[in-house]
Amino acid sequence: MKPAKGKGAPRTSKEAVKPVDDRKVGKRKAADKSSKGQAGKDKRAKKDPNKPKRPASAFFVFLEEFRTTFKKENPNVKAVSAVGKAGGQKWKSMTDAEKAPYEAKAAKRKTDYEKLMNAYNKQDDGDEESDKSKSEINDEDEASAEEGQQKQEDEEEDEEEQEDEDDDDSDY
């Protein structure tokens, strides 16, 4: 038989014959990746813990109910992905009429969220004193009080040392 020529011909060059051990399989450049990731995180604004959470979509409202029934029917399945996949398949197979109650619940949650956001935004506009939560402010107050107490203790120690030195000097 003649060797095949053309695009489909197998290559017998040195690169194709090289053993896999010579290649760096599975190695990642950790240094490059970490420096890029930190730069992006620094630019991002911190989240406000007092801000209301976004409401769940109709699918996630359905999934809340489905999760409990699925766990009762399949107590041996522990994987979260299995519950999600089964829920997604059932959601796709449901008709619009079957989805309607979940969409209504999601719409109600959305209106509640919009009311909370309006109140949050009004509070945020009127309360321009700080972007920090109350707990962060309290933590800073406690830290500054501890610093003040430590400073006072240090000053007292310095005074005692100074008095000891003065007493030592007068003995000579």
Side-chain angles (χ1 to χ4, degrees), residues 45-59:
K46 293 184 178 179
K47 292 182 180 178
D48 184 5
N50 300 326
K51 186 175 181 180
K53 291 191 176 188
R54 294 184 68 187
S57 67
F59 171 69

Side-chain angles (χ1 to χ4, degrees), residues 68-79:
T68 56
T69 58
F70 184 82
K71 285 187 177 183
K72 286 177 185 174
E73 294 171 3
N74 307 307
N76 296 335
V77 178
K78 301 288 183 190

